[in-house]
Amino acid sequence: MEKKNIDWANLGFGYIQTDYRFVSNFKDGKWDEGVLTEDPNVVINECACVLQYAQTVFEGMKAYTTSEGKIVTFRPDLNAQRMAQSAARLEMPVYPEDKFVEAVLRTIKANEAYVPPYGSGATLYVRPYMFGSNSVIGVKPAEEYQFRILTTPVGPYFKGGVKPLTIRVSDFDRAAPNGTGHIKAGLNYAMSLHAIVDAHKQGYDENMYLDAATRTKVEETGGANFLFVTKDGKVVTPKSSSILPSITRRSLVQVAKEYLGLEAEEREVYLEELPDFAECGLCGTAAVISPVGKIVDHGKEICLPSGMSEMGPVTKKLYETLTGIQMGTIKAPEGWVVEV
Ligand SMILES: *Cc1c(COP(=O)(O)O)cnc(C)c1O
């Protein structure tokens, strides 16, 4: 198979159309077989439930080439499981988890020419998503759905080197205690757009959201979970029922314990205790872990001791170990790296 003529190292994070996408329709209470199609357009009624009431959920994962030249993806079973939970919360039919993994692998395989080579730092981003597709005007769930998987090649996250982020404590809330913060729904992102545009205008990279009920505890950013390191080298991740359970964060915690012999704790993290931490990172599929150098709380600056020029030492070890596992240079736990 011949790779596409793409300047992998200089790719950004934008949509580039690839050759195939997967489509399956849910109608009369069941999913059809699903097909790979070359048509990138979706045609739905003007009154489709997704357009009127935002009934849509999604996933994000990546395919890449390992040091041995194999095309793989990372823990797709967890994406399947999370999408099932997201769908159930929005009264959408679940796309069977085994079929989800199968369809992801099939879609990657069909777009093999777009999977960046080992060492380029680039990956093929994989976006499974589902939406209510038939017309609905009275508020109720749709009866018909479409499950699709698109892929798009994306560039290395740390292009031009690692640059620790400056984030601000947001006055906006991301998720309510019994709301939808724990599922991967487009609606969580729609309401965060104003906050992120405003943060960028004010010169910040990201928003730190607090718990909506008391505004004293750290939740997450718009699209990544926090991971903190204490001054004595313990990994701490915030616990809350309104945080999206990041697969990267869960993997990093396991890496911390099993590969690095570190203590790790998932607990409530108070805004007040941030000055006590030595390192802070944002975890998600795109960056794996992106260091935070400074947190600004209404003019009060909290500067992490790891500084503004590099990753902290524990963050760096976590990053190198997990990316080593993903790339095949460090032995992976059973089932983490799945060959296409
Ligand atoms: C997708 C997402 C993450 C990161 O999850 P990963 O599984 O690690 O990619 C974190 N927070 C939010 C709100 C998300 O939507």
Side-chain angles (χ1 to χ4, degrees):
M1 178 265 331
E2 202 171 320
K3 293 286 177 190
K4 299 285 173 179
N5 184 20
I6 294 174
D7 182 6
W8 308 107
N10 289 308
L11 268 178
F13 196 92
Y15 172 74
I16 294 174
Q17 190 177 307
T18 59
D19 295 342
Y20 296 97
R21 66 279 304 130
F22 181 81
V23 185
S24 176
N25 286 289
F26 183 89
K27 201 176 171 177
D28 301 325
K30 56 181 193 299
W31 289 103
D32 67 14
E33 276 296 297
V35 290
L36 288 168
T37 165
E38 291 183 74
D39 184 359
N41 296 308
V42 177
V43 179
I44 47 175
N45 184 266
E46 62 186 349
C47 206
C49 196
V50 59
L51 300 179
Q52 304 309 324
Y53 302 125
Q55 195 186 20
T56 176
V57 296
F58 68 98
E59 272 304 322
M61 46 211 296
K62 60 193 181 187
Y64 50 93
T65 309
T66 66
S67 57
E68 291 166 315
K70 290 181 187 157
I71 292 178
V72 301
T73 185
F74 187 68
R75 308 187 79 177
D77 53 320
L78 295 189
N79 294 94
Q81 192 183 69
R82 193 169 62 187
M83 184 137 177
Q85 288 159 357
S86 299
R89 178 64 177 78
L90 294 194
E91 287 296 329
M92 304 169 84
V94 164
Y95 194 77
E97 293 180 35
D98 53 339
K99 288 251 169 68
F100 174 104
V101 173
E102 212 179 280
V104 162
L105 299 181
R106 238 179 104 188
T107 312
I108 296 168
K109 181 87 188 153
N111 295 293
E112 208 179 334
Y114 292 92
V115 180
Y118 174 72
S120 64
T123 57
L124 183 70
Y125 186 74
V126 180
R127 166 60 58 87
Y129 60 112
M130 190 199 292
F131 52 87
S133 54
N134 67 298
S135 57
V136 167
I137 193 79
V139 178
K140 63 174 184 201
E143 275 144 18
E144 295 173 15
Y145 293 85
Q146 204 165 95
F147 170 69
R148 302 178 69 102
I149 306 172
L150 71 80
T151 60
T152 187
V154 297
Y157 192 85
F158 296 115
K159 217 173 2 188
V162 174
K163 243 187 106 241
L165 308 175
T166 300
I167 66 176
R168 71 160 182 196
V169 175
S170 176
D171 286 328
F172 297 103
D173 293 322
R174 190 190 85 89
N178 298 297
T180 54
H182 61 300
I183 63 164
K184 221 167 166 71
L187 55 90
N188 291 332
Y189 280 78
M191 46 103 338
S192 76
L193 295 175
H194 175 62
I196 193 64
V197 168
D198 186 61
H200 289 164
K201 264 190 214 154
Q202 314 282 335
Y204 301 103
D205 297 303
E206 264 298 345
N207 287 298
M208 168 182 273
Y209 291 105
L210 303 179
D211 74 296
T214 71
R215 304 193 60 79
T216 57
K217 290 175 275 186
V218 174
E219 295 253 302
E220 61 172 319
T221 66
N225 284 181
F226 282 108
L227 180 148
F228 297 97
V229 181
T230 64
K231 286 176 180 150
D232 53 4
K234 187 199 260 182
V235 170
V236 176
T237 54
K239 184 180 178 129
S240 155
S241 59
S242 46
I243 291 177
L244 193 283
S246 157
I247 295 165
T248 315
R249 184 253 304 162
R250 287 181 274 163
S251 303
L252 285 165
V253 164
Q254 200 173 327
V255 163
K257 290 191 210 164
E258 293 173 13
Y259 286 71
L260 304 178
L262 301 173
E263 262 184 81
E265 188 179 21
E266 188 182 3
R267 62 160 170 88
E268 293 183 328
V269 172
Y270 286 85
L271 178 58
E272 216 175 62
E273 63 177 306
L274 291 184
D276 299 339
F277 290 117
E279 299 176 41
C280 172
L282 299 181
C283 321
T285 293
V288 175
I289 186 163
S290 184
V292 173
K294 194 194 283 184
I295 303 163
V296 182
D297 176 17
H298 302 88
K300 196 175 88 200
E301 292 197 348
I302 301 161
C303 297
L304 279 301
S306 50
M308 291 303 293
S309 58
E310 54 186 7
M311 280 190 186
V314 176
T315 303
K316 189 158 190 231
K317 253 193 242 160
L318 284 167
Y319 176 80
E320 284 172 353
T321 311
L322 186 55
T323 51
I325 287 169
Q326 291 181 332
M327 291 301 165
T329 58
I330 297 174
K331 190 171 159 39
E334 183 74 28
W336 278 27
V337 177
V338 176
E339 195 174 345
V340 169

